[in-house]
């Protein structure tokens, strides 16, 4: 590897780090309520972007294909808990479960009308 190639690589790493630092300072913390499977795909995509990763970069870190990342961001119905936690880990997110602010239970329906 030539010195110029090494310098380009280091420059890319430095710029990527600076961008992540910049966005972490100007963007408010991510707090999302996930009420449907459709919301999960949006959270995955937003988390990846906030981490400064392309789908290909995220896929490489997760050991899956870029097309799988894309599929899960569009339709998270096939997402397993293990996969979700791995993605959250790579994206710097965590899962928090808490009581809803309202006392009553809401009937939530999936966009496709799926019922249990």
């Amino acid at each position: 590897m030539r010195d110029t190639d090494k310098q380009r690589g280091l420059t890319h790493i430095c710029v990527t780090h600076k961008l992540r630092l910049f966005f972490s300072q100007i963007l408010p913390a991510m707090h999302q309520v996930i009420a449907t499977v459709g919301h999960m795909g949006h959270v995955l995509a937003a988390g990846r972007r906030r981490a400064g990763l392309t789908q290909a970069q995220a896929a490489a870190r997760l050991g899956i294909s870029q097309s799988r990342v894309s599929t899960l961001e569009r339709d998270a119905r096939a997402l397993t808990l293990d996969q979700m936690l791995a993605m959250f880990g790579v994206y710097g997110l965590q899962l928090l479960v808490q009581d809803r602010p309202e006392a009553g239970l809401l009937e939530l329906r999936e966009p496709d009308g799926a019922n249990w």
Side-chain angles (χ1 to χ4, degrees), residues 46-76:
R48 174 184 53 76
R49 286 193 289 282
R50 285 178 54 86
L53 299 172
T54 64
Q55 287 182 345
Q57 291 168 328
R61 291 186 185 188
L62 292 162
I64 60 177
S65 68
Q66 177 274 325
S67 65
R68 179 70 176 149
V69 172
S70 175
T71 298
L72 291 172
E73 288 180 1
R74 280 191 328 272
D75 182 5

Side-chain angles (χ1 to χ4, degrees), residues 21-37:
L21 182 60
F22 172 74
F23 283 115
S24 69
Q25 291 172 352
I26 64 166
L27 293 176
M30 185 175 192
H31 297 280
Q32 295 290 325
V33 175
I34 301 168
T36 68
V37 174

